[in-house]
Amino acid sequence: MAPTKSDAINDEGSASLLLLSTLSSSSSSQGGRKRQREDTEKHRPLQDVVACLSGFPHEQKDELHQLIESLGGRYTRELNLDKNTHLITELSHGAKYELAAANPQTIHIVTPSWLHTAAKSEQRPFEADHSISSRTAKSFSSLLQLPSKQQTRSALVPRLDCALRLSHENQVQRRSLFQPHHFYLLGFEGGNYNNENLKLQLSKLIRRANGTIYWELNEDVTVLVLCDGCDPTLYKAAQIVSQHHANLPSAVSPLWIVESYESNKLQSTRLYPPVQSLLPEPPDKTLSKKSIKAIVSSSTASNSNVFRGCLFSFLKTKIENDDTKSSSCKVLDFDVQEQAAFVKAHGGQLLSSKLVEALKGDAQTRQDAATAKQRKCYVVCWGGGNPRVSTSPLVSQLQRDNLCDVLLVTPFWLQTCVTVRKRVPPERVPMILMPQTWSMKFVNSKSERIDEKLGHQKRLEVSLTGFQGTEKAAIIHVIGAIGGLYHDHMSSTNTHLICKEKASGIKLEKAVEWGLHVVSVQWLYHILEHGYGGAENDPHGCEKKFLVVDAAAKT
């Protein structure tokens, strides 16, 4: 601390007061500026960081973006090798991850714990301590070595035993927990008694919560459960399946099953990735290689060519929360690189200047001008407003030279085509598959209040009746995208039944009996445009305007 005037009098005497006072003032000023600069740097530990996020839900993205800025860093929506210094993710796959992993000298790949550590320590942490591989090593190490009581309690088999011995009342409460999911278990074979026992107990727990288990991979699987410490080649195969399968199933550790059941709430699958083996690979990998070949071929063969021969471009308009009446209503966004990876995984080609030049050369040699109309270029649009393809020079050139038939679609169109295994005319379900002038809304946790009689703060849990084929597939994708949960088999845990006009049957009868909201599909379109509160921003929802049957009145 700089000396004060009283210090100067005591130490040097009154004769030196004027000189020391001057020096003190100067030193204090310089020291103050230095401390201020140090404090500023201390509270801005990430001032040279430009981060990009991948694989997080919208709410968590917003929180992480705010945290990055509060620590002095900046963020971008897209990954740019010339700008970004860090990729923050919990997933070891995806287009952004692959791009960053291919450029380790340019971009650090870290988990969100890196940000939280920076906030606590007010210093920039070492990236190596927060890498995905570092987290995986620690997780697997804890499974191999169980020296402490806390680690012993977290061992899976004892926890499974406890979960299976829950009281009958607790089991009844959990009977529909896994109902929406179809499971496929991997890596538990090979003659290891402990693994076989673990598989048996997991299967019991899944069935007890009404989940479906398949012994062969098929198009209905939604969750891949990998035995922790499985063969690395099998682990890699599961990641490939997660990206190429029609349902994009999540690959998880068995711990996800246990903790979801214990808490009676489905946990985020991103927080429970499977753990690959850190031990040397076994010399005989014949079985795992055969398994990989079967898994990959069965999951990709039927869907890999859906977009074959088609060109794709992406048009993301400026996304804003244009519904100022409700701060809890957020606009639905999509990641461009993830959409591009999805297209390429199913046979599509991304529009490029080389492709345009090739098409122009082909146009000069062909005799039949109608051939151009056979080629399709799909412009995938989202964000609201009137999409203007003129903003894309390549698409404008296609139109100007009549090289392709340009069609505007939404990301839901991509997902629906893969689900039904064919390219469908977007006008078949125009409100979902064709771009609209309004931006699509995401129903987040602040607007999940459905009805007091159904329980406060319940999420949208929806079933359908009367819908088939393309329309049904498109609606299911929308339900998931806005934050809801689709149930193929309806139960009393549902909050809504979306009913097609003049539909009837057991689902409708049960929905009336249980007092659920029975609404038309127009209700879904309305909240997709305006949010859960509707155009009037009613905190109790807008179901009354779209009731097919007044279940409350009949009960």
Side-chain angles (χ1 to χ4, degrees), residues 427-441:
E427 58 271 15
R428 185 168 295 179
V429 194
M431 293 294 289
I432 297 176
L433 306 183
M434 296 178 69
Q436 305 297 322
T437 56
W438 36 266
S439 54
M440 297 178 287
K441 303 301 186 300

Side-chain angles (χ1 to χ4, degrees), residues 126-144:
F126 290 108
E127 283 81 3
D129 294 338
H130 300 273
S131 65
I132 292 179
S133 58
S134 170
R135 182 184 63 178
T136 301
K138 293 176 183 177
S139 177
F140 187 66
S141 176
S142 67
L143 289 174
L144 291 178

Side-chain angles (χ1 to χ4, degrees), residues 141-165:
S141 176
S142 67
L143 289 174
L144 291 178
Q145 307 170 8
L146 300 172
S148 69
K149 292 182 179 180
Q150 183 177 0
Q151 289 172 319
T152 302
R153 284 197 298 269
S154 67
L156 285 175
V157 172
R159 293 178 68 181
L160 277 166
D161 288 336
C162 292
L164 290 169
R165 289 198 299 266

Side-chain angles (χ1 to χ4, degrees), residues 311-330:
L311 304 179
F312 288 85
S313 182
F314 301 91
L315 180 59
K316 176 179 174 180
T317 59
K318 186 177 182 181
I319 293 182
E320 296 178 349
N321 289 325
D322 54 358
D323 189 354
T324 56
K325 297 177 295 182
S326 175
S327 59
S328 65
C329 186
K330 297 186 178 181

